[in-house]
């Protein structure tokens, strides 16, 4: 009998790709999502890829009564991957209380149910935002965390601390925090991908929507950073590579291979790419000319960051494999499919 894994936020961008990889690795997956930033059609598209439509419950995990009721019905869950969170940086500045309630209370509710129902393992979806603008690059797991630039970023930092402290107090719990750098791309089938509601907050969906004619132009925020071409640098990782790391992390916990109750791993490629390099690579693989314009720097943006992935490579036996051009082409194929271009 296969192990049952709960994926919170499992109809979202990274969550849906992780559900696919878990199912293809033989796990039984159950998804909880309130569909505030995704649609139910994702479940059917997962079925088209894997042949299995995951079990699904729709509710918000910050609702304690509904969370308790769910775990009471599903206490045979062996492990949890916790993605579910509000995640728009700008919105979090305007609505901090909503972000703290949604992102922190949901973590508390899940952990309390883990203790009550004897579910020992959690993989937590964290972020490189906890590092801020680091003084030294590349970033390792030992790089000091900095004060967050936004309430969203702060919820990632605080949730890491909540998970760490809970594991310290309750030795039956085990957890891994995965700090993502910049996930991009889509599944090679083009059946699932990144579909932000409203105006995209991330670079690649804005590029593909501009190429598809939904946006008039792409704004490049700043060309006067201390980088080779003046635009900001990030570590862009293919979402399928990222999803596969979650399967490895779950297996590490279930097989008791973790070397501490709470572990942290950076997930990136180990290489930085500038905004203008991403634009150029997209134009190369698609043969399209993007309409873009250089504008002022955006408040809160950091200049450059990329990961040292040595620990994840060695300890998890995981490495990002897909290249930038393949990844950008997958994002464009996804955009074309949903727009029927």
């Amino acid at each position: 009998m296969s192990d049952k894994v709960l994926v919170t936020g499992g109809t979202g961008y990274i969550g849906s790709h992780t559900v696919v990889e878990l199912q293809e690795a033989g796990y039984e997956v159950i998804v909880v999502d309130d569909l505030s930033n995704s649609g139910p059609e994702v479940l059917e598209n997962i079925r088209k890829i894997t042949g299995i439509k995951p079990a699904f419950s729709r509710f918000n995990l910050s609702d304690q009564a509904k969370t308790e009721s769910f775990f009471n019905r599903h206490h045979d869950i062996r492990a949890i991957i916790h993605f579910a969170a509000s995640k728009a940086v700008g919105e979090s500045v305007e609505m901090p209380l909503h972000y703290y309630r949604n992102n922190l209370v949901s973590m508390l509710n899940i952990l309390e149910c883990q203790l009550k129902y004897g579910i020992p393992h959690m993989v937590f979806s964290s972020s490189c935002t906890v590092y801020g603008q680091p003084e030294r690059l590349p970033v390792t797991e030992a790089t000091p965390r900095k004060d967050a630039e936004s309430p969203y970023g702060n919820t990632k930092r605080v949730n890491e601390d909540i998970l760490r402290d809970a594991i310290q107090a309750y030795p039956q719990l085990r957890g891994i925090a995965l700090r993502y750098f910049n996930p991009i791309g889509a599944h090679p089938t083009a059946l699932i991908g990144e579909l932000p509601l409203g105006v995209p907050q991330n670079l690649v969906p804005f590029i593909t929507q501009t190429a598809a004619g939904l946006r008039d132009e792409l704004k490049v925020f700043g060309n006067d950073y201390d980088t080779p071409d003046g635009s900001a640098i990030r570590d862009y990782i293919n979402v399928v590579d990222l999803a596969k790391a979650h399967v490895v992390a779950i297996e590490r916990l279930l097989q008791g291979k973790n070397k501490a109750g709470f572990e942290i791993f950076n997930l990136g490629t180990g290489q930085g790419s500038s905004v203008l390099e991403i634009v150029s690579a997209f134009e190369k693989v698609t043969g399209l000319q993007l309409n873009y314009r250089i504008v002022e720097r955006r408040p809160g943006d950091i200049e450059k960051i990329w990961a040292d992935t040595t620990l994840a490579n060695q300890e998890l036996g995981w490495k990002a494999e897909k290249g930038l051009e393949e990844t950008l082409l997958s994002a464009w194929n996804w955009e074309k499919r949903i727009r029927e271009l």
Side-chain angles (χ1 to χ4, degrees):
M1 186 173 166
S2 60
D3 288 317
K4 184 185 281 191
V5 178
L6 166 63
V7 180
T8 75
T11 58
Y13 175 41
I14 306 170
S16 60
H17 288 81
T18 300
V19 171
V20 166
E21 296 303 320
L22 284 166
Q23 288 185 335
E24 293 188 336
Y27 290 97
E28 181 185 352
V29 180
I30 184 165
V31 170
V32 168
D33 202 302
D34 67 358
L35 301 183
S36 60
N37 200 35
S38 57
E41 70 280 357
V42 173
L43 298 164
E44 180 58 27
N45 289 334
I46 290 171
R47 186 199 62 76
K48 289 177 183 176
I49 297 170
T50 67
I52 304 165
K53 188 173 182 178
F56 175 67
S57 289
R58 180 179 181 177
F59 68 94
N60 188 301
L61 288 148
S62 65
D63 184 319
Q64 188 173 19
K66 289 180 179 176
T67 303
E68 167 75 31
S69 174
F70 170 83
F71 279 99
N72 187 43
R73 297 192 310 275
H74 298 284
H75 44 78
D76 56 341
I77 289 166
R78 291 285 321 282
I80 298 166
I81 304 180
H82 183 31
F83 292 106
S86 301
K87 67 181 186 69
V89 171
E91 183 184 64
S92 77
V93 175
E94 297 166 5
M95 304 168 59
L97 298 183
H98 168 76
Y99 270 68
Y100 285 119
R101 173 172 294 281
N102 199 45
N103 294 4
L104 301 186
V105 174
S106 59
M107 172 66 99
L108 295 171
N109 288 343
I110 292 168
L111 284 167
E112 286 171 347
C113 287
Q114 282 188 253
L115 288 168
K116 182 171 181 177
Y117 294 102
I119 303 166
H121 308 301
M122 177 187 281
V123 174
F124 173 60
S125 160
S126 193
S127 166
C128 68
T129 58
V130 301
Y131 296 119
Q133 177 59 66
E135 292 170 13
R136 295 176 64 182
L137 290 166
V139 168
T140 74
E141 289 79 357
T143 297
R145 297 183 307 173
K146 293 195 170 179
D147 288 345
E149 299 284 342
S150 68
Y152 161 72
N154 202 34
T155 65
K156 291 297 184 187
R157 178 188 171 122
V158 173
N159 268 336
E160 282 191 1
D161 292 344
I162 291 171
L163 181 57
R164 180 201 63 211
D165 292 347
I167 288 166
Q168 198 166 358
Y170 310 106
Q172 65 268 42
L173 295 180
R174 294 284 182 272
I176 293 175
L178 299 177
R179 291 176 177 166
Y180 315 155
F181 280 67
N182 290 67
I184 60 170
H187 195 269
T189 61
L191 285 165
I192 53 173
E194 187 171 12
L195 185 59
L197 300 181
V199 179
Q201 301 291 319
N202 297 329
L203 175 62
V204 171
F206 215 109
I207 286 175
T208 59
Q209 289 190 14
T210 303
L214 269 76
R215 309 285 163 198
D216 293 334
E217 64 176 8
L218 169 72
K219 293 183 175 69
V220 175
F221 296 104
N223 67 344
D224 57 351
Y225 286 111
D226 181 20
T227 62
D229 62 21
S231 63
I233 290 177
R234 298 289 183 273
D235 186 337
Y236 295 95
I237 177 173
N238 185 289
V239 68
V240 175
D241 283 338
L242 184 67
K244 287 178 177 176
H246 291 76
V247 179
V248 176
I250 284 289
E251 288 172 351
R252 181 178 179 86
L253 291 171
L254 289 172
Q255 295 169 10
K257 293 181 178 177
N258 51 304
K259 294 182 177 175
F262 179 56
E263 296 181 312
I264 295 167
F265 297 99
N266 285 338
L267 298 182
T269 65
Q271 294 184 313
S273 300
S274 73
V275 173
L276 291 175
E277 284 174 332
I278 296 290
V279 169
S280 176
F282 180 84
E283 290 180 332
K284 178 182 174 185
V285 296
T286 62
L288 299 168
Q289 195 77 29
L290 268 179
N291 183 31
Y292 71 90
R293 179 166 59 95
I294 309 290
V295 297
E296 292 293 311
R297 293 184 185 189
R298 185 169 55 181
D301 276 353
I302 61 171
E303 183 168 84
K304 50 191 170 185
I305 190 169
W306 61 91
D308 182 328
T309 60
T310 305
L311 190 66
N313 299 160
Q314 293 179 350
E315 278 295 318
L316 298 178
W318 167 90
K319 191 169 194 231
E321 295 173 350
K322 296 182 183 293
L324 188 59
E325 292 186 359
E326 176 187 357
T327 300
L328 290 170
L329 188 58
S330 74
W332 178 233
N333 287 337
W334 157 252
E335 186 75 45
K336 285 193 294 183
R337 190 189 75 78
I338 57 175
R339 308 297 171 198
E340 297 181 343
L341 296 176

